[in-house]
Amino acid sequence: RGCVHYQGGSQDRSVQPRTSRHGTSQLRNVASSDAIKKHQKSLAAWFSHQPNEERQFGPSFSLDAVHVDPVIRESSLEQILKPSPDLTIQNQLQQPCSQVISLQNLFDVDACGRQVKNVVLYGTVGTGKSTLIKKLVVDWCHGRLPRFELVIPFSCEDLSHSRAPISLRRLITKKYQHLRDVVPVLGTSNLKVLFILNGLERLNLDFRLAGTELCCDPSEPVPPSAIVVNLLRKYLLPEASIIITTRPSAVRRIPGKYVGRYAEICGFSDTNLQKLYFQMRLSQPGCGGESSVGSSPGEQENLVEMLSRNLERHNQIAAACFLPSYCWLVCTTLHFLYFSRTVPPSQTLTGIYTSFLRLNFSGEVLDSTDSTNISMMKYVAKTVGKLAYEGVMSRKTCFSEDDLQQCFEVEMKTESELNLLEVFRSDVFRFFLTPCVQPGKEHTFVFTIPAMQEYLAALYVVLGEKKSLAQRLGKELSEVIGKVSEDAVVVLNIISKVLPLRFLPVLFNLLKIFPRYFSRLSGKDRDAIAHTMAEELFKEEDYYNDDVLDQINFSILGVEGPMRHPDEASEDEVFELFPIFMGGILSRRNRAILEQLGCSIKNLAAFEIAKAMKKTVIRKGRRGLPPSELMDYLFFLHEFQNERFTAEAVRSLRTLNLSSVKMTPLKCSVLASVMGTTCHEVEELNLSSCNLDTRSLRILFPVLLRCKALHLQLNSLGSDACKEIRDLLLHDKCVVSSLRLANNPVGEQGAQYLAEALAGNRSLTHLSLLHTALGDQGVEVIAQHLAENQHLQELNLGYNSLTNAAALRVVEVAKKHTTLDKVHLYFNDISEDGKRALHNLRMDRDGVRALVFLTAGTDVSDYWSHILNVVQRNLPFWDRERVLQHLALILQDLESSRRQTANPWRKAKFLRVESEVKKMLGKLQHGTL
């Protein structure tokens, strides 16, 4: 059967003519000619060119540097035509190794010993067909494909646009001028030529003699499709080798007798190939270009390691990365998350997904033989988008075959629609939907990347595909009546002149009513889109989830820690990216890209949706949002890319609480970019426990200048960061009046920078350096510069291991200070003598009050509750043993002071404070606090 099957596309070795000495000489002359060298140079430059989306990976990035060959499996027409097996992850990731064939061996002899001349290389969307052909051409240009002396690539999409007759020789010279000296010898010499026909699904080929006549003359003008047919028939240039790439649905367009070998591109069915791809992509020197300055190779290696571990867990991401296209998306998303440091960020997440779809679907028509000529992306938006939207609305990510039928087949009415669905299932289905890897759900489907479900749902809504039956019929009827009314104008005007009938103007106005009425309804439809966006953006049940950027990061790199048991109930699905993608799709750049994909969103529609959003989004954004939800709101404004809208929304944000949000460089860039649309002052910015570092402060510098109250505690800010804070406080536009740096390793060197800032600053009134490891030396430096400051009112130096000398030195300086009236010195190593000296301070006499203990002589300090609250808030970050010792000393001091007073009211106050301290001590000792 194999011999019969491959007969048409193969030639027996025994019948090949021997090359004469003269022919060999001519062959060498042609192969080494300048024309072919110029052709190689031109092809290398063209096929090495990378899309704009690839430039983010740095100047060192090239196809040669990062290419990983996908798995290619030898197939047959019988295997292509037979029903496909159940789509499970095992079928995808466990292809039979015995049938694997390399790209270089595609033209080896077949099972019957015949030389293969025609090869059909097929694969679904995203498996890497075009990239593989690029690599093949580049390899030949660099001398890594010695089997062929001349390679001539053709794009079938390009050929499909031409109907005019043209000869093969003229076609070659038209596309490749350097070959005009080589073309005359084609067919007359033994030149080993390889024709590449990329994207055969774009051509409608007719192999019947009645449809395409025979042609063996390379100089005879015929339609381009006829050239392709006769090349495949081996009637034109029979010695030439041909490689055809196509989608599975178009494979049967070529009769099997004309094909020597079928080969299927199976993508990265081996997870080791996925790891190799990520290793090469993410470890490139200079990855990210200028935006990666400050990133270390260790950070890139850590990303690769975390990603590899997640792949080894056989997570859903391994199923996604079966397609090389999704490996690209994963790398691009990680690059966006970890190496975006410019303000504003050079990309948006929506832009990444839109560009990803352009790379895979640009110019793609679902079925070139169908009269509707619908773009592939438009079909996906209408069908898969509907499935995605219904899943988002019902909080569902797993879909059964019944769910798919409900979305894809329920409205199928014509033969054309069923044919389109069959092509979609064959070529595109596995690009968006993949079998679920969770135990017990192997026969259900999930979106290949979770965020893709939310993107397609957003596209479905913004395109206006979410319509009721009445709205669909109304739109169609409105268009028909609108066209009729335009034609009726002329007719009615003529009739009214001949027959003065009074009812004609009335009839004419009635024709105009319906389109006008429907335009009002469409305006309400855009209000509904804006309302959906606002409602989804501010869902209260999502208020305390991680922010969306962290969610994406976890979905790619996984969550470190114990795995959830398969029988354990999963948490509710979260779809917080859905409204953010809706806003991002409305941006001008993304609308322009979607227009290229056949998904048109008019400027007027985008304007009206944005106008309707102002009523709800900005009003709801003014409410006090939890930190993670506020970060999502800021990210939405960044994705929306509407500066006027963002400025109006940000102007109402006077207080920003982002505490405990992990502020990566990207989030800092988003915050700086969004806040940069206005110049208003911010009353309070809380960035406590946000993993800030020196780089983050540099990015946020313009925002920090405008903040009156700035919370930077619990961020591991060292001396380098203090240098940035010094520059901030010395800036002439700085309005910071309250600065909290508690629980940061400032140290002595950091104290030096802060002291310099105090000397020259004119806005700061409250400074907290609680638990910042200053020591006596650090506080001494601050005391020396404190005299030059004229505005500070309160200084917190608690828990800094200060001794008597340093504490008294600060207090002495504070006495002479014109505005400083409160110094916090509790939880320091102050002796009894120091305590007595500080007890003797009087506000009316010395002008300063020192907060050291909970007692003030024989009375309770007015600030006892404040001190205990500070202790309780900071216990998770302080040394518990040391806190226990201090609390024990405080308790002894309270008991001693209580015994010294005879006032029953004061004794009661002492007992109350003692009970609070004992309660705290008990919880600490039992580990419950």
Side-chain angles (χ1 to χ4, degrees):
R1 291 181 60 190
C3 293
V4 173
H5 173 68
Y6 292 129
Q7 186 177 1
S10 308
Q11 295 181 357
D12 198 299
R13 283 182 166 181
S14 61
V15 300
Q16 290 184 359
R18 290 194 170 191
T19 305
S20 65
R21 184 176 301 175
H22 174 71
T24 304
S25 174
Q26 183 184 24
L27 177 61
R28 288 173 180 170
N29 291 335
V30 173
S32 60
S33 67
D34 291 338
I36 291 184
K37 289 181 180 178
K38 289 180 181 177
H39 179 59
Q40 286 179 323
K41 185 177 180 181
S42 175
L43 281 183
W46 177 257
F47 280 85
S48 297
H49 175 73
Q50 298 295 332
N52 291 334
E53 289 82 3
E54 300 286 21
R55 295 180 184 175
Q56 63 187 306
F57 291 102
S60 61
F61 173 81
S62 68
L63 189 63
D64 283 339
V66 298
H67 181 76
V68 177
D69 283 333
V71 173
I72 303 175
R73 183 175 60 88
E74 189 168 359
S75 182
S76 66
L77 189 59
E78 287 83 359
Q79 291 177 343
I80 297 169
L81 295 179
K82 74 179 181 180
S84 59
D86 290 338
L87 280 177
T88 63
I89 198 62
Q90 287 76 20
N91 287 332
Q92 286 191 2
L93 299 181
Q94 295 177 6
Q95 298 287 351
C97 298
S98 58
Q99 297 178 337
V100 171
I101 186 171
S102 67
L103 188 65
Q104 288 74 18
N105 297 331
L106 287 176
F107 290 95
D108 287 354
V109 294
D110 62 16
C112 298
R114 302 188 180 210
Q115 187 67 46
V116 172
K117 287 296 183 180
N118 292 350
V119 174
V120 172
L121 193 63
Y122 69 95
T124 58
V125 174
T127 50
K129 299 184 296 295
S130 298
T131 305
L132 199 63
I133 292 302
K134 276 186 177 183
K135 185 64 167 57
L136 178 69
V137 173
V138 170
D139 282 349
W140 175 75
C141 294
H142 294 159
R144 293 192 288 266
L145 200 65
R147 181 192 291 265
F148 301 105
E149 294 156 333
L150 179 62
V151 171
I152 303 175
F154 284 118
S155 166
C156 292
E157 180 184 1
D158 184 27
L159 296 178
S160 68
H161 295 310
S162 176
R163 297 285 190 275
I166 188 172
S167 69
L168 175 60
R169 288 176 177 170
R170 177 72 187 97
L171 182 64
I172 294 172
T173 55
K174 182 180 178 182
K175 305 298 179 185
Y176 305 105
Q177 293 184 2
H178 299 299
L179 296 179
R180 58 179 175 269
D181 296 331
V182 180
V183 165
V185 302
L186 286 178
T188 62
S189 68
N190 290 324
L191 188 66
K192 296 178 181 177
V193 182
L194 172 64
F195 285 98
I196 298 176
L197 302 173
N198 189 31
L200 187 76
E201 66 275 357
R202 299 305 298 268
L203 280 176
N204 295 325
L205 303 180
D206 190 350
F207 281 83
R208 299 172 303 157
L209 288 176
T212 305
E213 63 179 343
L214 296 173
C215 175
C216 62
D217 184 1
S219 301
E220 181 181 348
V222 292
S225 60
I227 293 176
V228 173
V229 168
N230 282 290
L231 282 172
L232 292 171
R233 284 171 173 167
K234 291 302 167 196
Y235 203 75
L236 181 63
L237 299 185
E239 294 298 323
S241 298
I242 304 174
I243 186 168
I244 307 108
T245 67
T246 185
R247 302 200 303 257
S249 63
V251 169
R252 66 193 71 180
R253 295 185 190 177
I254 307 174
K257 63 182 180 180
Y258 298 127
V259 180
R261 174 170 284 131
Y262 292 95
E264 180 185 8
I265 303 179
C266 300
F268 294 154
S269 54
D270 184 352
T271 53
N272 289 323
L273 293 178
Q274 300 174 8
K275 291 180 185 179
L276 179 61
Y277 182 93
F278 293 131
Q279 178 73 34
M280 297 177 73
R281 278 272 180 172
L282 297 173
S283 300
Q284 279 293 106
C287 175
E290 294 180 3
S291 67
S292 67
V293 175
S295 64
S296 62
E299 188 175 7
Q300 298 172 4
E301 292 173 6
N302 187 43
L303 276 181
V304 174
E305 178 63 26
M306 292 175 68
L307 191 52
S308 296
R309 285 203 299 268
N310 204 23
L311 289 171
E312 289 167 1
R313 296 186 187 118
H314 301 290
N315 207 322
Q316 195 68 51
I317 191 173
C321 295
F322 166 79
L323 294 173
S325 292
Y326 276 96
C327 292
W328 180 91
L329 179 61
V330 167
C331 286
T332 307
T333 305
L334 285 176
H335 187 276
F336 172 69
L337 292 175
Y338 284 89
F339 303 117
S340 294
R341 295 183 174 93
T342 57
V343 180
S346 57
Q347 289 184 313
T348 64
L349 186 66
T350 315
I352 288 174
Y353 275 74
T354 309
S355 298
F356 168 69
L357 294 175
R358 175 174 63 179
L359 288 172
N360 288 279
F361 294 97
S362 180
E364 291 286 347
V365 175
L366 185 61
D367 186 2
S368 60
T369 63
D370 188 77
S371 58
T372 59
N373 215 30
I374 186 172
S375 77
M376 190 178 287
M377 195 61 229
K378 179 69 172 178
Y379 186 87
V380 167
K382 294 175 69 173
T383 55
V384 188
K386 180 183 178 183
L387 180 72
Y389 173 75
E390 291 182 357
V392 169
M393 291 296 102
S394 59
R395 298 286 202 185
K396 184 167 66 173
T397 57
C398 290
F399 303 92
S400 65
E401 188 65 37
D402 290 339
D403 295 328
L404 301 184
Q405 290 178 357
Q406 284 294 320
C407 282
F408 296 154
E409 299 178 12
V410 70
E411 296 181 3
M412 298 287 112
K413 297 176 182 178
T414 65
E415 182 72 15
S416 173
E417 290 175 335
L418 288 172
N419 289 338
L420 288 175
L421 178 60
E422 185 179 351
V423 172
F424 167 77
R425 278 190 172 272
S426 170
D427 298 348
V428 193
F429 179 84
R430 281 187 290 177
F431 185 85
F432 292 104
L433 292 157
T434 188
C436 185
V437 300
Q438 293 182 24
K441 296 184 178 181
E442 291 85 355
H443 295 283
T444 62
F445 297 90
V446 296
F447 278 83
T448 314
I449 291 284
M452 185 58 74
Q453 177 180 354
E454 298 177 77
Y455 181 93
L456 292 177
L459 183 61
Y460 177 76
V461 174
V462 174
L463 284 175
E465 295 294 337
K466 186 179 76 70
K467 290 184 174 74
S468 64
L469 180 61
Q471 287 175 317
R472 292 177 187 274
L473 291 174
K475 182 180 180 182
E476 293 174 4
L477 190 59
S478 173
E479 291 174 354
V480 171
I481 294 178
K483 291 177 182 177
V484 170
S485 63
E486 291 175 4
D487 298 332
V489 172
V490 180
V491 177
L492 290 174
N493 283 335
I494 293 173
I495 294 175
S496 63
K497 291 178 181 178
V498 180
L499 300 172
L501 301 176
R502 297 180 180 179
F503 70 86
L504 290 179
V506 177
L507 178 62
F508 177 68
N509 289 329
L510 285 173
L511 286 172
K512 289 183 175 181
I513 287 175
F514 191 83
R516 290 176 183 172
Y517 178 72
F518 186 80
S519 66
R520 293 180 182 178
L521 288 179
S522 63
K524 292 185 179 295
D525 189 35
R526 287 159 189 161
D527 286 345
I529 293 174
H531 179 74
T532 300
M533 199 181 307
E535 289 299 316
E536 291 295 323
L537 187 62
F538 297 106
K539 270 194 170 180
E540 292 190 8
E541 57 262 40
D542 296 334
Y543 267 17
Y544 298 99
N545 299 323
D546 293 321
D547 63 79
V548 292
L549 292 174
D550 281 349
Q551 291 175 28
I552 295 170
N553 185 55
F554 296 150
S555 71
I556 295 175
L557 299 180
V559 181
E560 297 296 327
M563 299 288 289
R564 178 188 296 155
H565 192 274
D567 297 332
E568 185 180 339
S570 60
E571 298 176 3
D572 290 339
E573 300 294 346
V574 177
F575 297 99
E576 293 183 89
L577 268 174
F578 169 54
I580 293 174
F581 277 144
M582 287 178 70
I585 287 171
L586 289 171
S587 70
R588 185 180 297 275
R589 180 178 178 275
N590 288 319
R591 283 190 286 118
I593 295 175
L594 288 169
E595 181 78 32
Q596 299 171 18
L597 298 175
C599 300
S600 178
I601 303 170
K602 301 300 182 185
N603 287 333
L604 181 60
F607 173 77
E608 290 180 349
I609 292 171
K611 184 179 178 182
M613 280 168 55
K614 287 184 181 180
K615 304 172 185 176
T616 51
V617 171
I618 295 178
R619 174 171 51 82
K620 291 188 176 184
R622 291 193 185 103
R623 301 183 308 190
L625 298 173
S628 61
E629 194 70 13
L630 177 58
M631 188 67 242
D632 289 346
Y633 181 48
L634 296 172
F635 187 59
F636 166 80
L637 295 175
H638 163 68
E639 293 285 313
F640 194 37
Q641 295 287 291
N642 186 325
E643 191 169 336
R644 289 179 59 187
F645 183 93
T646 301
E648 190 170 342
V650 167
R651 211 171 282 119
S652 63
L653 297 177
R654 295 289 176 176
T655 301
L656 296 172
N657 180 13
L658 293 170
S659 62
S660 301
V661 173
K662 186 179 179 181
M663 294 298 291
T664 61
L666 171 61
K667 294 177 190 176
C668 292
S669 299
V670 167
L671 175 59
S673 173
V674 169
M675 296 302 293
T677 56
T678 67
C679 55
H680 75 285
E681 291 185 0
V682 179
E683 293 296 328
E684 183 179 359
L685 175 59
N686 189 344
L687 293 173
S688 60
S689 193
C690 287
N691 291 84
L692 297 179
D693 56 15
T694 306
R695 186 172 53 192
S696 306
L697 294 179
R698 290 197 192 105
I699 296 173
L700 292 172
F701 194 90
V703 180
L704 303 182
L705 281 174
R706 297 154 43 193
C707 299
K708 293 182 178 179
L710 189 55
H711 302 262
L712 298 177
Q713 59 267 36
L714 295 165
N715 277 299
S716 301
L717 299 176
S719 58
D720 291 339
C722 290
K723 190 175 181 180
E724 295 295 323
I725 294 171
R726 178 198 64 184
D727 297 340
L728 172 74
L729 294 175
L730 292 178
H731 198 281
D732 56 354
K733 293 184 179 179
C734 177
V735 299
V736 178
S737 60
S738 175
L739 175 61
R740 294 188 179 183
L741 286 170
N743 299 304
N744 283 299
V746 172
E748 294 180 13
Q749 182 59 52
Q752 176 67 45
Y753 293 131
L754 294 177
E756 294 172 10
L758 281 174
N761 179 266
R762 297 292 180 269
S763 63
L764 196 63
T765 58
H766 296 75
L767 175 62
S768 174
L769 297 174
L770 175 72
H771 192 220
T772 49
L774 298 179
D776 285 353
Q777 295 297 324
V779 171
E780 179 64 31
V781 172
I782 289 175
Q784 291 173 6
H785 290 76
L786 199 56
E788 302 174 46
N789 180 281
Q790 301 298 319
H791 300 84
L792 195 65
Q793 298 174 10
E794 184 174 350
L795 177 63
N796 192 334
L797 298 173
Y799 204 159
N800 274 296
S801 303
L802 304 187
T803 59
N804 293 353
L808 293 171
R809 169 81 170 116
V810 170
V811 171
E812 287 301 318
V813 174
K815 285 181 180 180
K816 302 172 184 176
H817 199 282
T818 55
T819 57
L820 184 59
D821 59 9
K822 194 182 296 180
V823 180
H824 300 251
L825 294 170
Y826 38 81
F827 274 69
N828 282 303
D829 300 331
I830 301 174
S831 66
E832 287 296 323
D833 293 337
K835 173 187 169 182
R836 282 192 292 272
L838 294 171
H839 267 321
N840 293 330
L841 289 173
R842 294 289 180 271
M843 186 66 192
D844 53 352
R845 182 187 67 202
D846 304 308
V848 65
R849 177 175 294 145
L851 280 64
V852 186
F853 294 98
L854 301 187
T855 58
T858 58
D859 198 358
V860 175
S861 170
D862 294 337
Y863 299 97
W864 70 269
S865 60
H866 171 78
I867 295 173
L868 287 182
N869 284 335
V870 169
V871 173
Q872 190 160 356
R873 282 200 310 269
N874 290 279
L875 269 178
F877 322 105
W878 288 359
D879 181 2
R880 292 194 167 228
E881 291 299 323
R882 186 171 178 185
V883 172
L884 281 170
Q885 293 175 9
H886 276 281
L887 287 177
L889 290 174
I890 287 174
L891 188 58
Q892 291 177 13
D893 182 62
L894 286 168
E895 292 171 347
S896 174
S897 298
R898 175 168 55 83
R899 286 193 293 268
Q900 293 175 18
T901 182
N903 189 318
W905 174 247
R906 288 183 179 179
K907 282 183 179 290
K909 287 172 65 178
F910 274 115
L911 288 170
R912 180 190 172 193
V913 178
E914 285 176 34
S915 68
E916 291 293 331
V917 175
K918 287 177 181 177
K919 189 185 300 181
M920 191 178 292
L921 268 170
K923 288 182 178 180
L924 269 174
Q925 290 167 350
H926 291 92
T928 58
L929 189 63

